[in-house]
Amino acid sequence: MRNARLLTVTALVVATGALTAPASAAPGPPAGGLEIRPATVTPGSTVTVHTAACGSGGTAAGDASAVGAGTFALAPGTRREGGEAAAGRFEVPPSAQPGTYEIVATCSGSGGSGTKDKRVAGDLVVTITSTAAAGDRPRQLPKGHVKTGVGGALGPDPVQTAAGVAALAVAAAGGTWLLHRRARGDRI
């Protein structure tokens, strides 16, 4: 019994993620990788690419031909978090299809020893709808009556309600009359 409890508690701890990496670990590309912002875009969006892999003052040639954007240049710049990085931009073509595309940058070697021809890559996800745009829109609340086909006793049109009640009364009276005749043995 004790072993069963121990296994259950261990399974719960693992399932809740208590034994995973700490929350302070920054998500994103590994050190020296290619950082793509935003990582999820819609066709026609502009994408910014950063990499620290090319060293201080380094440049790189970017390749976004997988998504149909062709090549672009990465020039020395700074990242938002601080630190030096090569940065560049490209536009995702309006004809891009949804999917995940690999974006590649190759260092030119001007950033220090060991950076020449260094290749870094990152993933770009193209979607039809933007998750960022969906979060920015205000929520619209429903207005008016719910059109379910089932009305209330005092629906929007009292004349239709009265006509419906009258039709039900006639049907009930007719059904009662037919059952009464059948019970007496009259032929219908």
Side-chain angles (χ1 to χ4, degrees):
M1 183 71 166
R2 181 172 268 183
N3 286 339
R5 285 187 198 160
L6 181 61
L7 289 174
T8 303
V9 169
T10 304
L12 286 172
V13 168
V14 170
T16 59
L19 296 178
T20 60
S24 63
L34 194 65
E35 182 180 344
I36 300 173
R37 289 193 184 175
T40 302
V41 298
T42 56
S45 300
T46 300
V47 177
T48 304
V49 178
H50 296 275
T51 184
C54 298
S56 177
T59 60
D63 183 10
S65 59
V67 74
T71 59
F72 60 98
L74 283 85
T78 57
R79 286 196 297 202
R80 283 185 255 187
E81 293 85 27
E84 292 190 24
R89 295 180 151 205
F90 67 91
E91 185 176 327
V92 177
S95 61
Q97 296 298 312
T100 302
Y101 298 92
E102 183 180 53
I103 308 302
V104 179
T106 306
C107 298
S108 66
S110 61
S113 63
T115 61
K116 182 161 176 65
D117 297 328
K118 185 173 186 179
R119 184 179 183 267
V120 291
D123 287 337
L124 174 70
V125 178
V126 177
T127 63
I128 296 297
T129 58
S130 171
T131 54
D136 293 341
R137 282 183 285 189
R139 291 184 59 185
Q140 291 190 357
L141 299 174
K143 296 177 184 173
H145 298 284
V146 178
K147 296 184 179 10
T148 62
V150 179
L154 299 173
D157 189 2
V159 174
Q160 288 181 347
T161 302
V165 169
L168 287 174
V170 168
T176 302
W177 178 71
L178 286 174
L179 287 174
H180 179 67
R181 280 189 65 180
R182 189 174 203 187
R184 280 192 332 204
D186 294 346
R187 292 204 162 207
I188 298 176

